[in-house]
Amino acid sequence: MKILLTVHQFFPDYFSGTEVLTFSVAKELLSRGHHVSVFTGYPARKLMPDSQRFDNYEIEGIQVYRFHHAFVPMGEQQVVSEIEYNNHFAARYFAGLVDEIEPDIVHFFHFSRLGAALIDVVWLRNIPAYYTPTDFWAVCPTSQLLLEDGNVCNGPSPHGGNCVKHVAMLTRWRHYSSIVRHLPDTAIDVAAVVAKSVDIIRFPFKHEIAALSGRKPFNISRLNVLQGIISPTKLMTDVLVRNGVRQDLITQSAYGINVSGFDEAQQRISSDQGITFGYIGTLAPHKGCHVLIRAFLSSNHNEARLKIYGNPNEFPDYVAELKEAAEGCGSIEFCGTFPNSQVAEVLAGIDVLVVPSVWYENTPLVVYSALAAKCPVVASNFPGMSEVVRDGWNGMLFKPRSAEALSACLRRLQNEPKLRTELSKNCQRPKSISTYVDELLGLYEQASCLPKHTLPQQQVFEPLVSSNQGGFVAGWAVISPDEPKAIRVFDGEHEIGLTTRFMPRLDVRDGLRNSGIKLNTANLGFLLNLTRPTNRSTAILEIEDKQGTKHRIPFSSLTVGESVQLGDREFIGLDHEEFSQI
């Protein structure tokens, strides 16, 4: 069979749990003679035009097609909150990719950076499609069901008002986030209804609010036309069903791992000669490594060690905080990353794995690896992990976010080596990736017998043709004291580019303020993609202000790296440009 997998990010640059699962499934399918391709996302490191957002590479026989994603307007879409889950530009590329590969099966392992509009593409082509949710992206814009104050969220309110509030506070929508914080969810639900249904009423961030409000119903309607959803935990199943996913689509199946490196794993016989705790995972706030460090420092750490494995470059500010908290403690070691093939070797050097997550962790793969290595696990007592880690049997559970409760677990394990021995004895070998793929193939074989469900408001995407891309223009503009309403590019009388969304440019704002020009906003930057090739010499840039007044200037009057004053307080500056010649 030809099988196309999708995931939000992938090897070799990213190798956390979801990526490892996807990679392991791909390699197992490949070893059985199937043709496997992967469509993945990648966070763009720099400003780039749409025409440069796609590339491809090969890794261990797997062809990977990559989309360089960014939270900026792209294609014909201007509302970033909509692009996050319904990305037309990525869907158009995916349509062309599907037509080229002609897969028999598409299996989605993550939609982040890609969007659920990919389902529209395969539904229209009658290609059976499946989904393995590894976090809560389908119902939560942050994927974590975790509120800003650290408490667990129950999911979107009827019109997503609580999601709007959360995103506003996380992204600091100018000074409005301080107002939104104190509004009840029901009030924002009303605002969301107005934003979606009443065109004549205008208010700040109306389009973003409408998009966030429509996020959950859009995603759930897409999931409900799949041939199947493979849920790894009862927690995940409960969250999906509670938010509208059809129960009959869901098959309960825990992840599988590559168990070959654990063939010689034996019960660990503990002694009182010290203990080594370990953390393996992403060094990000929601993973809770800061809770572990606080707990370790308050335990009898002179007779223990803590090894922390994780990439220090993904969240450098957070890692700096961790290292500052651990400063002066020679028992804490930051060990960096390691190839996934060495996980058994790394776990062999750890007596107890600690998983101190502060969110509804959906059973990290490293927990299964630890159990395969006969390494007991201490984990936050969330439903997903408590399905695998049984308190007092193969590990210990503690109150989430409580350094005191975790410290008590660490002290007990230090002081009771016989307990560690008993917990290790009870660690059972988890499901292998081979068995997991057997289950997937069994589901794939049933696809032709399943009914096709109606997709509401189905979208049709013409495959993206890269030769139609005309380049891009990036820069900043000021119609004092505000940002422009719109910026357009014309070739003669034909509009070939438009943006109505502007990005923060603190350098421009501060520079103009120093020159005595007061501004209400720092959202002055723009990235404008051109829809077709044109000659720079005939192109015209148009800036429209909030009152509808338009200023036009030929590109021949502009120079990259310089700015031009159009009026008393109107400025335009070009940072980058690329014109595809006719």
Side-chain angles (χ1 to χ4, degrees):
M1 284 193 295
K2 294 180 182 179
I3 302 173
L4 176 58
L5 312 179
T6 80
V7 65
H8 62 316
Q9 54 195 27
F10 198 56
F11 283 65
D13 299 284
Y14 296 93
F15 38 83
S16 296
T18 303
E19 300 91 297
V20 170
L21 177 66
T22 310
F23 192 40
S24 299
V25 168
K27 290 202 296 183
E28 180 67 20
L29 288 169
L30 201 65
S31 72
R32 300 188 188 197
H34 299 287
H35 181 278
V36 183
S37 304
V38 172
F39 178 46
T40 187
Y42 186 87
R45 303 300 186 189
K46 61 180 181 179
L47 199 65
M48 62 170 53
D50 287 351
S51 58
Q52 297 177 6
R53 290 197 178 276
F54 300 100
D55 60 13
N56 60 82
Y57 61 95
E58 184 177 306
I59 180 168
E60 296 190 26
I62 303 165
Q63 190 65 39
V64 182
Y65 300 88
R66 184 166 58 178
F67 168 51
H68 293 254
H69 175 269
F71 291 104
V72 298
M74 62 179 65
E76 80 281 9
Q77 289 175 285
Q78 298 292 308
V79 182
V80 175
S81 297
E82 179 189 40
I83 292 171
E84 183 269 330
Y85 66 88
N86 181 18
N87 192 318
H88 296 183
F89 189 67
R92 289 183 60 205
Y93 175 83
F94 187 67
L97 184 61
V98 167
D99 289 346
E100 176 185 339
I101 296 174
E102 297 183 335
D104 301 295
I105 296 287
V106 173
H107 195 134
F108 302 104
F109 282 88
H110 216 300
F111 290 104
S112 180
R113 300 199 176 104
L114 306 174
L118 304 189
I119 296 176
D120 293 64
V121 173
V122 296
W123 183 89
L124 184 66
R125 289 160 174 77
N126 294 313
I127 300 172
Y130 294 81
Y131 174 43
T132 295
T134 59
D135 61 26
F136 305 104
W137 181 90
V139 299
C140 175
T142 69
S143 303
Q144 299 169 7
L145 288 179
L146 185 67
L147 298 172
E148 190 187 35
D149 61 7
N151 290 316
V152 173
C153 177
N154 292 321
S157 58
H159 296 283
N162 59 339
C163 296
V164 172
K165 178 190 290 188
H166 191 191
V167 171
M169 290 188 291
L170 286 176
T171 57
R172 301 292 188 261
W173 285 357
R174 300 186 207 166
H175 55 277
Y176 296 105
S177 62
S178 60
I179 300 172
V180 170
R181 179 189 298 272
H182 301 291
L183 292 175
D185 295 347
T186 52
I188 306 179
D189 274 343
V190 171
V193 172
V194 172
K196 289 188 293 185
S197 58
V198 184
D199 290 334
I200 61 173
I201 298 178
R202 306 290 179 185
F203 50 87
F205 301 102
K206 174 182 176 179
H207 298 292
E208 285 80 2
I209 291 171
L212 281 167
S213 177
R215 185 185 190 277
K216 189 184 88 168
F218 178 89
N219 285 345
I220 299 303
S221 68
R222 268 67 196 160
L223 297 189
N224 278 337
V225 300
L226 295 172
Q227 275 59 55
I229 297 173
I230 301 90
S231 173
T233 61
K234 184 177 182 297
L235 167 66
M236 178 59 71
T237 298
D238 291 345
V239 168
L240 292 177
V241 172
R242 187 169 67 244
N243 284 278
V245 173
R246 292 172 37 230
Q247 177 82 57
D248 62 292
L249 288 179
I250 299 176
T251 298
Q252 202 78 44
S253 176
Y255 303 136
I257 66 166
N258 185 351
V259 297
S260 60
F262 303 101
D263 292 337
E264 306 301 321
Q266 301 291 326
Q267 175 187 340
R268 303 183 182 204
I269 308 300
S270 302
S271 69
D272 58 0
Q273 300 301 310
I275 182 173
T276 299
F277 297 104
Y279 171 92
I280 301 174
T282 305
L283 294 176
H286 64 279
K287 291 290 189 176
C289 192
H290 57 286
V291 177
L292 172 56
I293 290 176
R294 288 204 306 270
F296 182 81
L297 292 174
S298 65
S299 66
N300 185 18
H301 61 269
N302 291 328
E303 300 178 6
R305 297 179 63 200
L306 172 59
K307 292 184 175 181
I308 298 174
Y309 291 90
N311 187 344
N313 300 318
E314 287 189 71
F315 300 90
D317 294 341
Y318 178 67
V319 172
E321 293 175 9
L322 296 180
K323 290 185 176 180
E324 183 179 355
E327 190 174 3
C329 179
S331 300
I332 300 178
E333 180 183 1
F334 288 85
C335 304
T337 60
F338 57 88
N340 185 61
S341 59
Q342 296 179 9
V343 65
E345 180 183 338
V346 169
L347 285 165
I350 293 172
D351 296 306
V352 177
L353 178 74
V354 184
V355 185
S357 299
V358 299
W359 68 295
Y360 267 179
E361 188 79 71
N362 194 31
T363 316
L365 282 184
V366 71
V367 170
Y368 293 108
S369 296
L371 297 180
K374 294 288 185 178
C375 178
V377 179
V378 177
S380 300
N381 191 6
F382 283 123
M385 285 192 287
S386 65
E387 293 179 39
V388 179
V389 179
R390 295 170 56 192
D391 190 37
W393 176 254
N394 57 5
M396 300 179 74
L397 299 171
F398 68 94
K399 181 181 179 181
R401 295 181 292 276
S402 173
E404 294 77 12
L406 176 54
S407 181
C409 292
L410 302 186
R411 286 196 300 271
R412 187 180 174 194
L413 289 165
Q414 287 175 257
N415 297 331
E416 300 181 35
K418 289 184 179 179
L419 174 61
R420 304 201 305 267
T421 299
E422 189 67 18
L423 296 177
S424 174
K425 182 183 74 173
N426 296 330
C427 292
Q428 301 297 311
R429 188 181 182 91
K431 182 190 298 180
S432 69
I433 193 66
S434 177
T435 300
Y436 186 72
V437 169
D438 284 341
E439 295 173 355
L440 296 184
L441 291 172
L443 290 173
Y444 297 165
E445 290 172 2
Q446 301 171 19
S448 60
C449 303
L450 299 175
K452 182 175 180 179
H453 299 280
T454 302
L455 178 59
Q457 298 180 325
Q458 200 261 323
Q459 303 172 115
V460 178
F461 298 104
E462 292 297 324
L464 182 67
V465 180
S466 59
S467 61
N468 289 342
Q469 301 301 302
F472 74 103
V473 177
W476 55 270
V478 176
I479 303 292
S480 186
D482 214 335
E483 66 194 53
K485 178 181 179 182
I487 294 180
R488 297 176 176 84
V489 173
F490 289 86
D491 182 9
E493 295 303 315
H494 297 285
E495 181 183 302
I496 61 171
L498 165 69
T499 185
T500 59
R501 295 292 181 267
F502 299 88
M503 298 168 285
R505 284 295 300 268
L506 299 178
D507 57 328
V508 174
R509 182 201 63 184
D510 294 343
L512 291 173
R513 283 180 175 176
N514 291 336
S515 300
I517 300 174
K518 296 182 179 180
L519 299 175
N520 294 334
T521 179
N523 291 336
L524 308 170
F526 67 87
L527 172 62
L528 189 151
N529 290 287
L530 306 180
T531 58
R532 71 182 193 189
T534 188
N535 289 319
R536 187 185 194 277
S537 60
T538 60
I540 296 172
L541 187 73
E542 179 185 274
I543 305 173
E544 181 180 357
D545 64 23
K546 301 289 187 181
Q547 288 71 44
T549 303
K550 299 174 181 178
H551 305 263
R552 283 196 166 196
I553 182 171
F555 267 91
S556 57
S557 302
L558 301 172
T559 303
V560 172
E562 298 182 5
S563 61
V564 172
Q565 186 169 357
L566 305 178
D568 291 340
R569 295 186 297 176
E570 291 81 38
F571 300 86
I572 177 74
L574 288 189
D575 297 321
H576 308 280
E577 66 175 36
E578 177 184 291
F579 284 85
S580 299
Q581 299 300 312
I582 297 175

Coordinates of all heavy atoms in Angstrom, one line a residue, residues 49-51 465-473 489 496 528-535 577-582:
P49 N 8.6 34.2 1.8 CA 7.4 34.3 1.0 C 6.7 32.9 0.9 O 7.4 31.9 1.2 CB 8.0 34.7 -0.4 CG 9.3 34.1 -0.4 CD 9.8 34.2 1.0
D50 N 5.5 32.9 0.5 CA 4.8 31.6 0.3 C 5.5 30.7 -0.6 O 5.5 29.5 -0.5 CB 3.3 31.9 -0.2 CG 2.5 32.5 0.9 OD1 2.9 32.5 2.1 OD2 1.3 32.9 0.6
S51 N 6.1 31.3 -1.7 CA 6.7 30.5 -2.7 C 7.9 29.6 -2.2 O 8.3 28.7 -2.8 CB 7.2 31.4 -3.8 OG 8.1 32.3 -3.4
V465 N 0.3 25.3 -7.5 CA 1.3 25.3 -8.6 C 2.3 26.3 -8.3 O 2.0 27.5 -8.3 CB 0.6 25.5 -10.0 CG1 1.7 25.5 -11.1 CG2 -0.5 24.5 -10.2
S466 N 3.5 25.9 -7.9 CA 4.5 26.9 -7.5 C 4.9 27.9 -8.5 O 5.2 29.0 -8.2 CB 5.8 26.1 -7.0 OG 6.3 25.4 -8.1
S467 N 4.7 27.6 -9.8 CA 5.1 28.5 -10.8 C 4.1 29.7 -10.9 O 4.4 30.8 -11.4 CB 5.1 27.9 -12.2 OG 3.8 27.4 -12.5
N468 N 3.0 29.6 -10.2 CA 2.0 30.7 -10.2 C 2.4 31.7 -9.1 O 1.7 32.8 -9.0 CB 0.6 30.2 -9.9 CG 0.0 29.4 -11.1 OD1 0.5 29.6 -12.2 ND2 -1.0 28.6 -10.8
Q469 N 3.3 31.4 -8.2 CA 3.7 32.3 -7.2 C 4.5 33.5 -7.7 O 5.4 33.3 -8.5 CB 4.5 31.6 -6.1 CG 3.7 30.5 -5.4 CD 2.4 30.9 -4.8 OE1 2.4 31.8 -3.9 NE2 1.3 30.4 -5.3
G470 N 4.2 34.7 -7.3 CA 4.9 35.8 -7.9 C 5.9 36.5 -7.0 O 6.4 37.6 -7.4
G471 N 6.2 35.9 -5.9 CA 7.2 36.6 -5.0 C 6.6 37.2 -3.8 O 5.4 36.9 -3.4
F472 N 7.2 38.2 -3.2 CA 6.7 38.7 -1.9 C 7.4 40.1 -1.7 O 8.4 40.5 -2.3 CB 7.0 37.9 -0.7 CG 8.5 37.9 -0.3 CD1 8.8 38.6 0.8 CD2 9.4 37.2 -1.0 CE1 10.2 38.6 1.2 CE2 10.8 37.2 -0.6 CZ 11.1 37.9 0.5
V473 N 6.7 40.9 -0.8 CA 7.2 42.2 -0.4 C 7.0 42.2 1.1 O 6.0 41.9 1.7 CB 6.4 43.3 -1.0 CG1 6.9 44.7 -0.5 CG2 6.5 43.3 -2.5
V489 N -0.7 45.6 -3.8 CA 0.2 45.7 -4.9 C -0.6 45.5 -6.2 O -1.4 44.6 -6.3 CB 1.4 44.7 -4.8 CG1 2.3 44.8 -6.0 CG2 2.2 45.0 -3.5
I496 N -2.5 42.2 -7.4 CA -1.8 41.0 -7.3 C -1.3 40.7 -5.9 O -0.5 39.7 -5.7 CB -0.6 41.0 -8.3 CG1 0.4 42.1 -8.0 CG2 -1.1 41.1 -9.8 CD1 1.7 42.0 -8.8
L528 N 3.6 40.6 2.4 CA 2.6 40.6 1.3 C 3.0 39.6 0.2 O 4.1 39.9 -0.4 CB 2.3 42.0 0.8 CG 1.2 42.3 -0.1 CD1 0.7 43.7 0.1 CD2 1.6 42.1 -1.5
N529 N 2.3 38.6 0.0 CA 2.6 37.6 -1.1 C 2.0 38.0 -2.4 O 0.8 38.4 -2.4 CB 2.2 36.2 -0.7 CG 3.1 35.7 0.4 OD1 4.2 35.3 0.2 ND2 2.5 35.6 1.6
L530 N 2.7 37.9 -3.5 CA 2.2 38.3 -4.8 C 1.7 37.0 -5.5 O 2.3 36.0 -5.4 CB 3.3 38.9 -5.6 CG 4.1 40.1 -5.0 CD1 5.2 40.6 -5.9 CD2 3.1 41.2 -4.6
T531 N 0.5 37.2 -6.1 CA -0.2 36.0 -6.6 C 0.3 35.6 -8.0 O -0.1 34.5 -8.5 CB -1.7 36.3 -6.7 OG1 -1.9 37.4 -7.5 CG2 -2.3 36.5 -5.3
R532 N 1.1 36.5 -8.7 CA 1.5 36.1 -10.0 C 2.8 36.9 -10.3 O 3.0 38.0 -9.7 CB 0.5 36.4 -11.1 CG 0.2 37.8 -11.4 CD -0.9 38.0 -12.4 NE -0.9 39.4 -12.9 CZ -1.9 39.8 -13.7 NH1 -2.9 39.0 -14.0 NH2 -1.9 41.1 -14.1
P533 N 3.6 36.4 -11.3 CA 4.8 37.1 -11.6 C 4.5 38.5 -12.2 O 3.5 38.7 -12.9 CB 5.5 36.2 -12.7 CG 4.9 34.9 -12.4 CD 3.5 35.1 -11.9
T534 N 5.4 39.5 -12.0 CA 5.2 40.8 -12.5 C 6.6 41.5 -12.6 O 7.6 41.0 -12.1 CB 4.3 41.6 -11.6 OG1 4.0 42.9 -12.3 CG2 4.9 41.9 -10.3
N535 N 6.6 42.6 -13.4 CA 7.8 43.4 -13.5 C 7.8 44.4 -12.4 O 6.8 45.2 -12.2 CB 7.9 44.1 -14.8 CG 8.2 43.1 -15.9 OD1 9.0 42.2 -15.8 ND2 7.6 43.2 -17.1
E577 N 12.3 42.0 -0.6 CA 11.4 41.9 -1.7 C 11.9 40.8 -2.7 O 13.1 40.5 -2.7 CB 11.2 43.2 -2.5 CG 12.4 43.6 -3.2 CD 12.2 44.9 -4.1 OE1 11.4 45.8 -3.7 OE2 12.8 45.0 -5.2
E578 N 11.0 40.2 -3.4 CA 11.3 39.2 -4.4 C 10.3 39.2 -5.5 O 9.1 39.0 -5.2 CB 11.5 37.8 -3.9 CG 11.8 36.8 -4.9 CD 11.8 35.4 -4.3 OE1 12.8 35.1 -3.6 OE2 10.9 34.6 -4.6
F579 N 10.6 39.6 -6.7 CA 9.7 39.7 -7.8 C 10.0 38.5 -8.8 O 11.1 38.5 -9.2 CB 9.7 41.0 -8.5 CG 9.0 42.1 -7.8 CD1 9.7 42.9 -6.8 CD2 7.7 42.4 -8.1 CE1 9.1 43.9 -6.2 CE2 7.1 43.5 -7.4 CZ 7.7 44.2 -6.4
S580 N 9.1 37.7 -9.0 CA 9.2 36.6 -10.0 C 8.9 37.3 -11.4 O 7.8 37.7 -11.6 CB 8.3 35.4 -9.8 OG 8.6 34.9 -8.5
Q581 N 9.9 37.3 -12.3 CA 9.8 38.0 -13.5 C 8.8 37.2 -14.5 O 8.7 36.0 -14.4 CB 11.1 38.1 -14.2 CG 12.1 39.0 -13.4 CD 11.6 40.4 -13.2 OE1 11.1 41.0 -14.1 NE2 11.6 40.8 -11.9
I582 N 8.1 37.9 -15.3 CA 7.2 37.4 -16.3 C 8.0 36.6 -17.3 O 9.0 37.1 -17.8 CB 6.4 38.5 -17.0 CG1 5.5 39.2 -15.9 CG2 5.5 37.9 -18.1 CD1 4.7 40.3 -16.5

